[in-house]
Amino acid sequence: VVTPVKLFNEGGSFLMPNERYAMFEEPDSPSNILFNEISADGRRKIRGGTLGKLVQYLANENDMDTEYITEFLLTHRGFTTSEELLDLLHLRFQVRRPQNMDVPTFNSILIPIRLRCVNVLKMWIILRPDDFLDSKELTLKAQEFISYFEQHTVTAKNLRRLLDRAVNKEFELSRSEFANVNPCPESLIFEEMSPTNPSIEHMHPEEIARQLCLIEYQLWKAIRPHEFMNSVWTTVDKEKKAPHVVSMIQASNHRTNWVITEILSNSDLGHRALVLAKFILVADKCLSLSNFNAVMEIIAALQNSAIFRLKRTWELLPAKTWALWDSLQAFTKAEGNFKNYRDRLRSCLEMAVPC
């Protein structure tokens, strides 16, 4: 539950920062902040509120709720913009003394609030560097904010360094770090395969699975967390709000159609059965590589009516291939909200490409 921030007074004039700060001084009430029941550790978990109140609790004088901050930074694009959030964080930093508060009491809350604002920005840069990479306006606002609080004796050198790293993509896994995860295996290429006219029949199923894994990982890691918010990939402006999710969906559809085409392009029954068996083996290898998206793509292709009705082709599959096919279908079945898939994904210890 979020209400817009008030930027103008009743006469239509723009509210000055000092006037806008009043949003942080309103007493808590059901009209501006809602809490869940108190948890076992004594904390009240926020369920919703006005944007002003939510930002106030991001940087409040009592304590720093890192879980709340993390969740807020992940989901804020669902109800505001990154630029507006940073403006409000900047405003929150400009603490003003309430008329009924004496100076010593005010000084006791001034430093905690300002430190929390700085720490929220630090967590934002570290946890969501893509927000700054995607928006020059946000980066400029962050630089202005850092320059502003630098005037108030708060150290800014570390934050400037973090912001530079975010803009320069230095938070991404480096090539050397990625290489240390596992050494690259040697390519599995059959000698009889023509380099100028490669055929799926002459490609090793494990090598096909490896290449699919490399392709799909690049697509998956490009997706920004906010693209999963509120199913924006289904909206009219999905290319703007979730471009990387849309790209992965389109690529997945393309690969499903590719599998169907490869099988149907063989007029010879024996060759068609070989290609069908090959893709079942590829799907099994993709599963062992934790490329669950490719598994789903191949299974979707083989369950397509154009392939599934090829009874004579399916009858030529050996018993071992049938056993693999049965296990793959069990893995991808929708029962229990895809329970088998979710259990496998949850137990995955290494990197995976989910679907």
Side-chain angles (χ1 to χ4, degrees), residues 74-79 224-233:
L74 176 63
T75 61
H76 74 274
R77 287 198 184 191
F79 48 84
R224 309 290 193 249
H226 67 266
E227 295 184 44
F228 294 113
M229 290 290 298
N230 302 324
S231 300
V232 291
W233 65 89

Side-chain angles (χ1 to χ4, degrees), residues 209-261:
R210 290 173 182 174
Q211 297 305 317
L212 286 174
C213 197
L214 291 172
I215 293 169
E216 303 216 1
Y217 174 71
Q218 293 299 323
L219 289 166
W220 169 252
K221 77 170 187 175
I223 298 175
R224 309 290 193 249
H226 67 266
E227 295 184 44
F228 294 113
M229 290 290 298
N230 302 324
S231 300
V232 291
W233 65 89
T234 64
T235 59
V236 176
D237 53 350
K238 57 189 175 185
E239 285 82 4
K240 180 181 179 182
K241 292 184 176 180
H244 302 99
V245 172
V246 171
S247 293
M248 189 155 193
I249 291 172
Q250 291 173 343
S252 293
N253 292 336
H254 176 77
R255 274 186 286 277
T256 296
N257 291 330
W258 165 66
V259 174
I260 294 171
T261 302

Side-chain angles (χ1 to χ4, degrees), residues 220 228 286-287 289-293 296 331-332 337-355:
W220 169 252
F228 294 113
C286 286
L287 184 59
L289 292 172
S290 299
N291 183 1
F292 304 122
N293 195 61
M296 295 292 188
F331 170 74
T332 58
N337 193 21
F338 294 94
K339 182 181 183 301
N340 293 339
Y341 160 67
R342 290 187 293 108
D343 289 345
R344 179 71 176 260
L345 180 62
R346 193 179 297 113
S347 64
C348 189
L349 300 178
E350 298 182 346
M351 290 185 290
V353 181
C355 58

